[in-house]
Amino acid sequence: MSVLDSPMPRFHLAVPVDDLAAARRFYGGVLGLEQGRSTDTWIDWNLHGHQFVTHLAPERGRPVHNPVDGHDVPVPHFGLILTVPVFDELAGRLRAAGTEFVIKPYVRFAGQTGEQRTMFLLDPAGNALEFKAFTDDSQVFAA
């Protein structure tokens, strides 16, 4: 089944960046996303079948953080829920690229409902990303 045939809707997300060349190196080079259309003010990316766009916007707001599990989680943030093997491969790729993590990869809720791997990092423009993987994917919304 292709992404276009998936019963799950694809999202479109646009985020501000202050340097398109740095965004191209990070999203295309480090994260390995396929680049789509682009102009001198934006770039489309294929984020695992979702349309993710980096728009040139040099003005930035003040960062906000919320405490979660003893960590300062950046708000807003976005990311993907991956499989455990894909999460581990991405964490290795990010470490190899010398990525400075906001929150290093770790396991939350170990041995509990909703056990998951998670990591937070910033793109070159300061946009916060979270990638996670649930040990049991059926527990994504478990309370």
Side-chain angles (χ1 to χ4, degrees):
M1 172 184 298
S2 77
V3 171
L4 297 175
D5 297 326
S6 173
M8 182 171 291
R10 291 166 290 147
F11 69 76
H12 165 83
L13 176 66
V15 299
V17 299
D18 55 5
D19 183 335
L20 284 177
R24 189 173 276 113
R25 287 189 301 274
F26 178 76
Y27 287 103
V30 176
L31 293 185
L33 303 185
E34 177 186 349
Q35 182 179 317
R37 292 178 304 268
S38 67
T39 71
D40 57 347
T41 59
W42 55 268
I43 304 170
D44 275 349
W45 301 99
N46 179 347
L47 183 64
H48 290 256
H50 302 283
Q51 186 185 39
F52 173 69
V53 186
T54 49
H55 278 273
L56 189 58
E59 299 296 320
R60 302 290 302 169
R62 183 179 64 82
V64 177
H65 294 82
N66 283 332
V68 177
D69 294 341
H71 297 281
D72 286 330
V73 171
V75 178
H77 64 264
F78 67 95
L80 293 174
I81 299 172
L82 306 169
T83 64
V84 171
V86 172
F87 176 94
D88 291 341
E89 186 275 327
L90 178 59
R93 184 174 348 146
L94 291 167
R95 285 185 184 108
T99 300
E100 186 174 323
F101 292 95
V102 174
I103 300 172
K104 293 179 182 176
Y106 78 105
V107 177
R108 294 180 67 198
F109 311 122
Q112 300 175 44
T113 299
E115 179 177 289
Q116 61 191 262
R117 290 164 169 77
T118 187
M119 61 180 153
F120 286 81
L121 56 133
L122 301 178
D123 75 2
N127 294 301
L129 292 86
E130 177 186 17
F131 294 98
K132 58 173 64 180
F134 285 79
T135 302
D136 179 349
D137 201 54
S138 72
Q139 296 180 353
V140 169
F141 297 106

